[in-house]
Amino acid sequence: MSPRDLWRRLQQIVFHNILHLDDTPHRIAWGVFIGAVIAFTPTLGLQILIYLPIATLLRANKISGIPILFISNPFTAVPLYYSTWSVGAAVMDPQKEVTPATIKTWLGDAGRELRADGISRLLEAEFWQGAGRLLASTGAELWVGGLICGFGVGVPTYFLTRWGINAFRHLREGRRLPHGPMDR
């Protein structure tokens, strides 16, 4: 998929799946915020199952946050979780040093298996058990960093989404209303 195709797909998701939702701008943006926070947590594979009850409990739109959950996926997991772990480690223990050997220990055989066996490995329970062990071993730093990054992305995304929905609806309404006394 080319960058142009990816950009078109992103526009389509935003335009059709978020701007046209039949809900208040706050509830839609609130759902996007919750989705952003959850997307950065180390819960790969469980995020929709976590998002839906939280969105329901907090009275957010249950659809609007789902697309942003896909920020974290099997292809972005390593850089995303390494980045969030780094943020958490910097906050919790700034002197802790992470070397390439440390990262290899955390990843275990998962990376080699994916390269050797291909993407079909993602469908096997053993792969996800290894991923779960990795997430458990990185502990609090990963969770703290994930929450900090999630809030860091979620807060501006909330306001941007709310502004975008209001602007879109204002423009849409402007096209429906007459423009002057001759249009009546």
Side-chain angles (χ1 to χ4, degrees):
M1 180 176 271
S2 73
R4 174 175 260 163
D5 293 336
L6 187 61
W7 178 247
R8 284 186 185 145
R9 181 68 181 131
L10 181 62
Q11 287 175 322
Q12 184 181 32
I13 289 169
V14 169
F15 188 72
H16 291 291
N17 295 348
I18 295 177
L19 291 178
H20 283 104
L21 286 172
D22 186 23
D23 210 339
T24 67
H26 165 72
R27 285 176 45 101
I28 295 169
W30 188 228
V32 171
F33 168 81
I34 294 167
V37 172
I38 292 172
F40 283 90
T41 63
T43 55
L44 187 64
L46 302 173
Q47 292 168 336
I48 293 176
L49 297 174
I50 294 168
Y51 170 77
L52 289 172
I54 291 174
T56 300
L57 182 68
L58 296 177
R59 303 190 59 149
N61 183 282
K62 291 173 223 40
I63 304 296
S64 64
I66 291 176
I68 201 164
L69 292 174
F70 292 100
I71 287 173
S72 58
N73 60 65
F75 301 106
T76 63
V78 172
L80 179 77
Y81 290 147
Y82 176 72
S83 300
T84 58
W85 182 89
S86 297
V87 169
V91 169
M92 295 181 69
D93 187 4
Q95 278 68 40
K96 191 173 190 176
E97 184 178 345
V98 179
T99 64
T102 309
I103 296 168
K104 285 181 184 177
T105 301
W106 289 342
L107 294 176
D109 296 327
R112 285 189 298 278
E113 290 172 356
L114 278 176
R115 282 192 299 276
D117 301 335
I119 197 167
S120 64
R121 184 81 173 100
L122 295 173
L123 301 174
E124 298 175 13
E126 295 83 24
F127 176 83
W128 293 106
Q129 289 169 344
R133 283 191 298 277
L134 167 65
L135 295 175
S137 70
T138 55
E141 294 95 346
L142 189 59
W143 278 96
V144 168
L147 291 172
I148 290 170
C149 291
F151 276 89
V153 169
V155 169
T157 303
Y158 169 86
F159 290 107
L160 182 63
T161 302
R162 190 169 174 156
W163 172 83
I165 292 166
N166 284 326
F168 174 76
R169 290 179 179 178
H170 181 74
L171 286 172
R172 190 175 61 189
E173 284 299 314
R175 290 183 188 149
R176 291 183 186 162
L177 297 175
H179 296 289
M182 299 297 284
D183 295 330
R184 292 184 191 180

